[in-house]
């Protein structure tokens, strides 16, 4: 019996050893080529290791050839049947990014797990044999959301949403006052082929156009349109088209601050026609992040407005109470800030020795309010 058990154990060991010895070459044969492909894909030679949320441009003998995309739930639109025969056909339109309606296999399913074991080097795409085929590289300049200018050599283009910090220097607002305005602009590349191969430095070209339009639009607005929160401005984040339509339906109800929304909507509409269609870049949102005086005249104006509001609030608080005083002075501040020439007007009155009377309304019954500032008010602030 002992001899039989020894024989069975010897056979088992032989079979086990043979299995391992035979399996090892199969593992090497199966996975070694994948490792080689992965190595070249990391170097972006022959193959390309795609990065989520990015697109890569493929060139053939130095000219545009094709694009590669890695953006979950999205794909390139591709060729439209019969489009090539139509007038104005643009091959770059095939690389517009659209939602992918195909239901992909669940990563937690058994089939996906087996596939991941057999083919662990996923996300690799074939480029072509060098030197004819190569991955497009360029130097990217961009301002981040902290307004820091960055430069980087890249070999792909981001197709996810990104917020860029843009500064508008010495913008002349209504009344001739100059301010520095900070914008937060959310952009998304919706056609990477156009962005990379139709224009040099696509981001600079897009932001330069937005800066120009902003200067043209903002010059008609007063300082007050930028400093106080308003319901309409909050809507910009949610549905700018709805706000635009409501303002067009009731133009008489349009306030100073609502006009900022209209101006921003005009910029976004222009970008759709002249940036998205040409450069493949979509402007999703424009927010005013801050505003500050750019010269002494603007500094004097903003300081006087703040001090006048504070002092006027103290004057009327005794009669109306603190809560009502804040409401009244805020209304009066609107009137003061709507026209910057009030500075010169107040200074002139102050020098004549007359008291300055600022009229306003507040409360549910539109109670008339008069704030009397002494004739030495302006002189005391100098």
């Amino acid at each position: 019996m002992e001899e039989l058990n020894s024989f069975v154990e010897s056979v088992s060991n032989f079979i086990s050893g043979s299995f391992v010895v035979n399996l090892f070459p199969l593992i090497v044969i199966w996975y070694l080529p994948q490792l080689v492909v992965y190595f070249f894909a990391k170097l972006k030679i022959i193959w390309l290791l795609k990065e989520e949320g990015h697109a890569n441009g493929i060139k053939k003998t130095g000219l545009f050839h094709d694009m590669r995309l890695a953006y979950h739930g999205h794909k390139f639109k591709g060729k439209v049947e019969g489009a090539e025969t139509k007038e104005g056909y643009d091959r770059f339109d095939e690389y517009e990014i659209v939602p992918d309606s195909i239901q992909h296999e669940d990563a937690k399913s058994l089939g996906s797990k087996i596939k991941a074991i057999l083919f662990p080097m996923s996300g690799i795409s074939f480029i072509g044999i060098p030197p004819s085929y190569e991955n497009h590289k360029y130097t990217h300049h961009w301002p981040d959301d902290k307004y820091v200018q960055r430069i980087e050599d890249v070999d792909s283009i981001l197709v996810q949403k990104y917020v860029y910090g843009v500064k508008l220097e010495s913008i002349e607002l209504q009344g001739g006052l100059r301010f520095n305005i900070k914008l937060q602009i959310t952009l998304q590349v919706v056609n990477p082929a156009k962005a990379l191969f139709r224009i040099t430095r696509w981001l600079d070209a897009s932001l330069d156009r937005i800066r120009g339009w902003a200067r043209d639009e903002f010059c008609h607005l007063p300082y007050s349109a930028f400093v106080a929160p308003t319901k309409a401005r909050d809507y910009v984040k949610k549905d700018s088209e709805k706000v635009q339509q409501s303002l067009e339906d009731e133009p008489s109800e349009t306030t100073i601050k609502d006009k900022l929304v209209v101006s921003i909507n005009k910029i976004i509409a222009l970008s759709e026609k002249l940036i998205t269609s040409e450069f493949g870049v979509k402007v999703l949102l424009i927010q005013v992040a801050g505003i500050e005086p750019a010269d002494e005249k603007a500094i004097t104006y903003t300081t006087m407005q703040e001090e006048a509001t504070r002092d006027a609030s103290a004057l009327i608080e005794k009669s109306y109470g603190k809560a009502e005083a804040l409401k009244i002075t805020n209304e009066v501040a609107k009137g003061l800030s709507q026209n910057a020439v009030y500075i010169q007007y107040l200074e002139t009155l102050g020098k004549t020795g007359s008291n300055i009377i600022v009229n306003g309304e507040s409360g549910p019954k539109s109670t008339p309010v008069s704030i009397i500032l002494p004739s030495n008010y302006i002189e005391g602030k100098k």
Side-chain angles (χ1 to χ4, degrees):
M1 182 63 68
E2 292 181 0
E3 293 179 357
L4 179 60
N5 291 336
S6 178
F7 175 76
V8 171
E9 184 176 354
S10 299
V11 172
S12 299
N13 291 336
F14 174 79
I15 294 174
S16 299
S18 299
F19 178 76
V20 172
V21 170
N22 293 331
L23 181 62
F24 181 75
L26 294 176
I27 294 176
V28 172
I29 293 172
W30 182 260
Y31 287 106
L32 183 59
Q34 295 189 53
L35 288 173
V36 173
V37 170
Y38 178 79
F39 173 77
F40 281 100
K42 288 286 287 184
L43 298 177
K44 293 181 173 58
I45 300 174
I46 304 178
W47 291 277
L48 171 71
L49 183 62
K50 296 184 291 187
E51 182 180 356
E52 174 62 27
H54 289 74
N56 297 80
I58 309 302
K59 295 191 296 186
K60 180 181 179 181
T61 62
L63 301 176
F64 171 73
H65 174 67
D66 203 358
M67 297 293 301
R68 299 289 185 269
L69 177 68
Y71 189 17
H72 181 71
H74 296 79
K75 65 177 182 178
F76 289 132
K77 183 172 69 175
K79 291 184 178 180
V80 178
E81 187 175 353
E84 297 182 15
T85 60
K86 294 182 179 180
E87 185 178 355
Y89 168 74
D90 187 352
R91 185 195 170 197
F92 283 164
D93 289 338
E94 299 175 7
Y95 297 98
E96 178 184 346
I97 298 175
V98 296
D100 188 358
S101 58
I102 299 177
Q103 296 293 328
H104 296 278
E105 190 176 11
D106 186 2
K108 295 182 180 180
S109 65
L110 179 61
S112 295
K113 291 179 179 179
I114 294 175
K115 185 177 179 180
I117 294 174
L118 294 177
F119 303 97
M121 310 301 176
S122 60
I124 295 177
S125 180
F126 181 72
I127 295 177
I129 305 300
S132 296
Y133 294 87
E134 61 178 327
N135 182 56
H136 177 63
K137 300 177 182 179
Y138 66 103
T139 301
H140 186 45
H141 303 248
W142 83 98
D144 63 18
D145 57 351
K146 304 299 182 183
Y147 306 96
V148 177
Q149 191 68 31
R150 300 182 179 277
I151 302 176
E152 184 180 5
D153 292 330
V154 297
D155 52 23
S156 64
I157 183 171
L158 180 70
V159 295
Q160 294 173 325
K161 300 174 184 177
Y162 190 84
V163 180
Y164 299 91
V166 176
K167 292 182 180 180
L168 303 178
E169 303 289 346
S170 192
I171 298 293
E172 183 174 326
L173 302 184
Q174 189 181 83
L177 297 180
R178 293 188 174 274
F179 289 87
N180 298 325
I181 301 175
K182 291 182 177 180
L183 300 179
Q184 295 278 302
I185 303 177
T186 305
L187 301 181
Q188 184 173 24
V189 174
V190 294
N191 190 316
K194 288 184 177 181
L196 289 179
F197 297 99
R198 176 153 290 173
I199 185 71
T200 301
R201 295 177 63 170
W202 61 270
L203 181 59
D204 287 343
S206 301
L207 294 182
D208 284 346
R209 288 193 174 185
I210 294 173
R211 288 188 185 98
W213 295 332
R215 285 181 180 273
D216 293 341
E217 289 294 329
F218 293 168
C219 69
H220 303 295
L221 300 177
Y223 169 70
S224 59
F226 296 87
V227 293
T230 176
K231 189 176 182 180
R233 283 177 65 193
D234 292 339
Y235 283 162
V236 178
K237 304 176 183 178
K238 302 175 183 178
D239 192 347
S240 59
E241 293 182 0
K242 184 177 180 181
V243 176
Q244 176 71 36
Q245 187 61 48
S246 66
L247 296 179
E248 292 176 355
D249 293 342
E250 301 180 18
S252 60
E253 299 298 324
T254 303
T255 67
I256 278 294
K257 297 181 187 67
D258 293 331
K259 290 180 180 179
L260 175 61
V261 180
V262 175
S263 294
I264 290 176
N265 289 343
K266 287 181 180 178
I267 296 172
I268 294 176
L270 282 170
S271 71
E272 188 72 25
K273 296 178 181 178
L274 302 176
I275 295 181
T276 305
S277 61
E278 293 184 30
F279 307 155
V281 181
K282 188 176 183 65
V283 180
L284 301 175
L285 179 64
I286 299 177
Q287 296 170 289
V288 178
I291 182 171
E292 58 185 19
D295 55 24
E296 290 297 325
K297 185 179 178 182
I299 293 173
T300 301
Y301 170 69
T302 53
T303 302
M304 286 180 59
Q305 185 192 26
E306 293 172 358
E307 292 181 348
T309 302
R310 184 177 62 250
D311 293 352
S313 178
L315 287 173
I316 65 175
E317 186 175 329
K318 295 178 182 179
S319 301
Y320 287 88
K322 186 173 182 179
E324 190 67 14
L326 290 175
K327 292 171 62 178
I328 294 171
T329 52
N330 283 338
E331 290 297 319
V332 175
K334 290 180 185 178
L336 284 173
S337 59
Q338 285 178 13
N339 195 333
V341 298
Y342 272 163
I343 298 175
Q344 299 174 356
Y345 177 63
L346 293 177
E347 289 178 339
T348 302
L349 289 178
K351 292 176 181 178
T352 63
S354 302
N355 289 337
I356 301 168
I357 301 176
V358 181
N359 294 315
E361 294 181 349
S362 183
K365 297 182 179 180
S366 298
T367 306
V369 178
S370 293
I371 302 175
I372 302 177
L373 304 181
S375 60
N376 62 353
Y377 175 79
I378 299 297
E379 297 176 0
K381 300 304 175 185
K382 293 182 179 179

